[in-house]
Amino acid sequence: MKYEVKSINIGKSKQIDDGLISAINKFPIAEKVYVSSTIINGDEQADLEHHGGKDQVLCLYCYDYYEHWEQQLNHKVEIPSFGENLTVKGISEDDICIGDIFELGETKLQVSLPRQPCRVLAKKFNNDKFAKMVSDSGYTGFYFRVLKEGYIKPGDTLKLIQRHPEQLSVSDVNKLHYTNQKNIDLLKRAIKVVELKTSLREKFQKRLEEILNSN
């Protein structure tokens, strides 16, 4: 499976509100850029508690969702307004699974967890309800860790080269976050996927134990 990368984006941390610093305001690059195991060159992550680290090197958001948000908000939404590093056409949280491996340029990337909409996104859109609107829609985007470092450039194609055998979709994990938090079968599936970010697996493991102990 191949996906068209519409834009590769980077940005520096800036103050966007009193006490709120973020690198959500990114811009598209025009030349090749190096991706290491911790960051894409020229990019920054302000909130290292919730962003960045080896499990969250690159954030992807689907290009097709921009039309949806323009209709919902009744105004133009410029790329990359969701702070994503990769704006990709035709990709979906329903179809992509935790642990799936992709090639992009010289790099090899692995899906690690969904992006969780937060107050920074709400502030970016000047809408206190926007983070919840995004999580309710399921159009969250997701993160990659880097298995192989290298250069990427505009025009590169994102290629799925290995599907994870458990096929736990990004949408499945979103359900455990937002809509189906006590689904025992889904929790059991999630904690088996070692490619899911460790802190998230531990959170789901604890939740499962609490549910089972309460019965």
Side-chain angles (χ1 to χ4, degrees):
M1 183 71 71
K2 297 180 180 180
Y3 301 93
E4 179 185 357
V5 179
K6 303 293 288 188
S7 183
I8 299 172
N9 316 297
I10 60 174
K12 297 292 187 180
S13 299
K14 297 179 181 178
Q15 184 166 318
I16 62 172
D17 193 34
D18 290 343
L20 186 59
I21 298 174
S22 174
I24 194 171
N25 292 319
K26 301 189 187 300
F27 60 89
I29 64 168
E31 299 179 345
K32 69 178 182 179
V33 64
Y34 193 80
V35 181
S36 75
S37 63
T38 57
I39 202 163
I40 176 172
N41 193 34
D43 197 39
E44 287 185 354
Q45 294 129 354
D47 180 3
L48 296 180
E49 181 180 353
H50 299 102
H51 304 102
K54 291 192 174 183
D55 290 319
Q56 295 168 255
V57 181
L58 296 175
C59 180
L60 179 150
Y61 201 71
C62 179
Y63 170 81
D64 308 73
Y65 298 163
Y66 276 85
E67 181 178 356
H68 167 82
W69 293 119
E70 287 176 348
Q71 293 174 354
Q72 290 292 308
L73 301 171
N74 198 31
H75 64 72
K76 178 70 175 175
V77 181
E78 300 291 343
I79 295 171
S81 288
F82 286 80
E84 71 271 21
N85 300 111
L86 304 174
T87 312
V88 179
K89 184 175 177 59
I91 202 162
S92 165
E93 289 83 355
D94 291 335
D95 300 329
I96 302 305
C97 298
I98 305 299
D100 284 355
I101 298 175
F102 290 81
E103 282 184 346
L104 179 63
E106 298 175 351
T107 68
K108 193 171 290 185
L109 312 172
Q110 185 175 55
V111 180
S112 54
L113 74 159
R115 183 245 190 95
Q116 288 186 262
C118 63
R119 66 189 180 112
V120 175
L121 195 59
K123 184 61 64 176
K124 165 80 175 181
F125 281 82
N126 195 29
N127 184 334
D128 291 341
K129 298 180 180 179
F130 192 67
K132 187 176 187 304
M133 289 171 64
V134 175
S135 59
D136 286 349
S137 72
Y139 297 164
T140 59
F142 54 88
Y143 287 103
F144 288 114
R145 64 173 60 91
V146 176
L147 301 182
K148 178 186 175 187
E149 300 180 351
Y151 282 96
I152 61 176
K153 65 183 186 303
D156 283 344
T157 299
L158 184 67
K159 303 174 186 177
L160 177 63
I161 59 171
Q162 185 175 323
R163 176 71 80 185
H164 193 276
E166 291 294 335
Q167 297 194 21
L168 177 78
S169 72
V170 175
S171 289
D172 287 333
V173 180
N174 276 335
K175 290 173 186 175
L176 289 176
H177 274 309
Y178 306 115
T179 62
N180 203 355
Q181 297 176 333
K182 296 186 178 182
N183 185 316
I184 291 176
D185 290 339
L186 199 51
L187 285 167
K188 287 180 177 179
R189 287 181 58 206
I191 62 178
K192 288 195 327 185
V193 179
V194 297
E195 292 80 5
L196 182 63
K197 186 178 179 181
T198 301
S199 60
L200 197 51
R201 281 195 297 118
E202 290 174 347
K203 176 182 177 180
F204 291 155
Q205 175 72 54
K206 182 179 179 181
R207 187 188 301 170
L208 177 62
E209 291 172 356
E210 289 174 348
I211 292 171
L212 295 177
N213 290 335
S214 67
N215 291 337

